[in-house]
Amino acid sequence: MAFVRLNDAVLLESVLEVPVPVRFIFVLLGPSQSNMDYHEIGRSFSTLMSDKNFHEVAYFADDRQDLLNGINEFLDCSIVIPPSDVAGKDLLKTVADFQKQMLRKRKERELKKHHSSVGMVQDNKEVSPEEEEEGDQEVDPLKRSGIPFGGLIHDIRRRYPHYVSDLKDAVDMQCIAAVIFIYFAALSPTITFGGLLGEKTEGMMGVTELIVSTATLGVIFSLLAGQPLLIIGFSGPLLVFEEAYYKFCQAHNFEYLTGRVWIGFWLIFIVLVIVAAEGSFLVRYISPFTQEIFAFLISLIFIYETFSKLIKVFKEHPLMAMYPTDSTLATGLRDTDDPIFNQPNTALLSLVLMMGTFFVAFFLRKFRNSRFLGGKARRIIGDFGIPISILVSVLVDYSITDTYTQKLNVPSGFSVTSPDKRGWFISPFGDKQPFPTWMMGASIVPALLVFILIFMETQITSLIVSKKERRLVKGSGFHLDLLLIVILGAICPLFGLPWLTAATVRSVTHVNALTVMSKATAPGEKPMIQEVKEQRLTGLLVAVLVGMSIVMTDVLRLIPLAVLFGIFLYMGVTSLTGIQLYERITLMVTPAKHHPDHIYVTKVKTWRMNMFTIIQLACIVALWVVKSTVASLAFPFVLIMTVPLRRLILSRIFEERELQALDCEEEDSPNFDEDGRDEYNEIHMLV
């Protein structure tokens, strides 16, 4: 089959009976003895070309996918009548009623889209210029008003009138289910990052501090946020900074926690300046080029940290030819705080627990799209894959009583991770020694680095959550949310608590859990997002439940660190596979004939696509080198330099159409859930 569009219309006198200029030719070749009716297939394309909308698609199509999209759109607006005994007026009446129903639903969707983009329009009244301006700002919340704190004021005026409905809309069974699911989704990384933070800072901050910070800031943010669907938490980039800043303070004999207090003071100053200048509009310039580098690097950090910790375990507990015969040695040392070395089987068991946790979580993620059990059962098992994998691994470790494994360090009760090193309040002027005066002013430099990390992750997460296809109707709050997260985080160092940011994976998962999908009413119709339960209570309750986990210290102490390493490996691997950069890296070693029909493959020459990929890899290598050296504090600065690299330098190397294709994001899954997509594909194949 071939669908040909000629550059200019030509007269095919030997083919057609009438002299009509021809611009499109459909060619179909096949065996003469076939069960296909070639004339019927040709007639189907004639029907397509007689449709005004598809005719326009055919004129402007750039590739095969554009034509397929046009055919799908045609089918969505078509009524298929199977052979039946019903004839005449009865058949026409049935079709007419069905068509009216389709047209009514289509008008409702368009009207709802119009309401969400232009604002509250009632009784078909004429829209005033002021309302039109407000509608434009609703479509583009990053548009600058030109007055100090104008964006913040607009966020408050747009979002807070919905406050009562934010509480009423939470009275729904779907919200209750979302709370249970997101609690585990938020607790797992909190424990994981808390354990690693304790390792990086030698107990200055750990699981307890991260739980308290996540719970307290989560409650306040849920009550005041412009976009309460965001879930705030600790992230990989912040972990990189905390490790680098701790090493810097150790090398120069500064008090680490006191330095964080002054960074917090400068953060308040920086965020007030940025919000006053409506600086959130800068997120427009963070293209997918930088986002992919950022996400790819964080995934690599997760994977690297996993195996580096496992190697450390093998070094501390090397494999020996002969083991002690007294198996009580390991069990007797399980609950001591002194360093433990040379324990038999510890390294092997840690490897089994790490890989076991990873494979169980990964398998349960794939199980969601399998053919076993029902759709709801698969979805529940898939959603709770990480907690199930943690539980299984903990039970395996608990059942093996004669082998030592390092456990999560969680203090008893409401106390800091290392009571002998610090208390709950951190003095700005130093605890054990005076903090240098010049460092109080110089702390603005690391404060800028922290702000860059929080700004990028928070604003990019807000963009993802606020995509048009999610059909959010209550608006967002880019300026308000940034102000809240940074100021709350700036106060945390006074109590020795970690900074937080909008956690991308947890926030998107939260929104997906609150999404209501429409049911397919006709063959070939894709399930679409009907609404999202926009409210404040789910995030609030998740934060409260995470805070209550502080009383579960006896249970948390049963979790081996190797299990958390497995979760980190899972997060790193699954994050990698969803990045376009990773797909293009695999295409570099894939024959061209096996390349998929993605837009960045069909519209960009292979060698130029590979050159673009190599440039991104070079940026990742540069960032990794900076992160691994004494200049690791400059990591955010080097990352932000990829923005002018993309806009100023690459725009001269690549054509604009190539950059648009390479920056293009493929249609992602939030439009419809996995079960809906499977059902759609089956119906589509049948049609």
Side-chain angles (χ1 to χ4, degrees), residues 452-525:
I452 290 172
L453 293 177
I454 295 178
F455 177 87
M456 290 187 66
E457 197 148 5
T458 298
Q459 302 293 49
I460 290 173
T461 303
S462 298
L463 281 175
I464 294 173
V465 168
S466 304
K467 281 185 175 180
K468 290 182 180 180
E469 55 263 29
R470 296 190 189 278
R471 297 179 180 269
L472 301 182
V473 296
K474 296 183 180 180
S476 55
F478 286 89
H479 309 83
L480 175 60
D481 294 342
L482 180 66
L483 182 69
L484 275 174
I485 290 176
V486 175
I487 288 185
L488 289 174
I491 297 173
C492 284
L494 284 170
F495 305 97
L497 302 177
W499 295 294
L500 299 182
T501 183
T504 306
V505 176
R506 280 157 273 180
S507 299
V508 173
T509 304
H510 184 215
V511 176
N512 289 345
L514 295 170
T515 300
V516 179
M517 307 302 299
S518 66
K519 301 297 183 182
T521 56
E525 183 178 355

Side-chain angles (χ1 to χ4, degrees), residues 39 62 74 188 253 313 347 396 399 443 449 497 516 530 551 567 573 579 660 667 687:
H39 292 285
D62 290 329
F74 175 84
S188 299
N253 198 25
V313 173
V396 170
S399 64
S443 294
L449 304 179
L497 302 177
V516 179
Q530 183 174 326
V551 302
I567 295 300
V573 171
I579 302 173
Q660 289 178 355
E667 186 179 5
V687 171

Side-chain angles (χ1 to χ4, degrees), residues 12 22 140 152 203 248 253 317 377 383 398 417 626 635:
L12 301 179
V22 175
D140 187 5
L152 176 64
F248 171 81
N253 198 25
H317 308 280
D383 290 344
Y398 188 76
T417 301
V626 171
F635 169 78

Side-chain angles (χ1 to χ4, degrees), residues 164-183:
V164 175
S165 68
D166 285 340
L167 303 178
K168 292 181 179 178
D169 293 346
V171 184
D172 189 274
M173 283 301 297
Q174 186 166 352
C175 293
I176 297 174
V179 168
I180 299 173
F181 167 39
I182 300 300
Y183 164 66

Side-chain angles (χ1 to χ4, degrees), residues 306-527:
T306 298
F307 287 101
S308 66
K309 289 299 177 184
L310 185 65
I311 292 172
K312 182 181 177 182
V313 173
F314 271 83
K315 289 181 178 179
E316 293 178 349
H317 308 280
L319 302 179
M320 296 178 288
M322 298 181 64
Y323 297 115
T325 56
D326 186 6
S327 61
T328 60
L329 174 65
T331 55
L333 293 174
R334 273 181 176 269
D335 298 323
T336 61
D337 295 328
D338 299 329
I340 300 172
F341 300 100
N342 301 323
Q343 290 301 303
N345 299 320
T346 293
L348 290 178
L349 181 57
S350 298
L351 174 63
V352 170
L353 292 175
M354 186 193 83
M355 299 307 298
T357 304
F358 167 76
F359 281 116
V360 170
F362 195 81
F363 168 77
L364 292 180
R365 180 173 181 261
K366 296 291 185 182
F367 184 81
R368 178 182 177 125
N369 298 330
S370 68
R371 298 182 178 180
F372 300 101
L373 304 181
K376 291 184 178 179
R378 292 200 310 268
R379 188 158 50 246
I380 292 173
I381 294 174
D383 290 344
F384 289 89
I386 292 179
I388 291 173
S389 64
I390 293 176
L391 178 62
V392 170
S393 297
V394 169
L395 291 176
V396 170
D397 175 74
Y398 188 76
S399 64
I400 303 175
T401 58
D402 59 350
T403 303
Y404 166 79
T405 51
Q406 186 180 358
K407 301 298 191 296
L408 195 62
N409 182 18
V410 185
S412 300
F414 190 73
S415 63
V416 295
T417 301
S418 301
D420 56 326
K421 296 182 179 180
R422 52 159 290 191
W424 273 116
F425 180 76
I426 308 300
S427 172
F429 304 103
D431 181 20
K432 298 179 181 179
Q433 61 183 19
F435 194 72
T437 305
W438 67 270
M439 259 307 280
M440 297 177 182
S443 294
I444 189 174
V445 177
L448 279 170
L449 304 179
V450 175
F451 180 78
I452 290 172
L453 293 177
I454 295 178
F455 177 87
M456 290 187 66
E457 197 148 5
T458 298
Q459 302 293 49
I460 290 173
T461 303
S462 298
L463 281 175
I464 294 173
V465 168
S466 304
K467 281 185 175 180
K468 290 182 180 180
E469 55 263 29
R470 296 190 189 278
R471 297 179 180 269
L472 301 182
V473 296
K474 296 183 180 180
S476 55
F478 286 89
H479 309 83
L480 175 60
D481 294 342
L482 180 66
L483 182 69
L484 275 174
I485 290 176
V486 175
I487 288 185
L488 289 174
I491 297 173
C492 284
L494 284 170
F495 305 97
L497 302 177
W499 295 294
L500 299 182
T501 183
T504 306
V505 176
R506 280 157 273 180
S507 299
V508 173
T509 304
H510 184 215
V511 176
N512 289 345
L514 295 170
T515 300
V516 179
M517 307 302 299
S518 66
K519 301 297 183 182
T521 56
E525 183 178 355
K526 293 188 293 185

Side-chain angles (χ1 to χ4, degrees), residues 218-236:
V219 169
I220 299 174
F221 182 81
S222 297
L223 291 174
L224 301 177
Q227 181 50 273
L229 296 180
L230 297 180
I231 299 292
I232 61 173
F234 201 69
S235 67

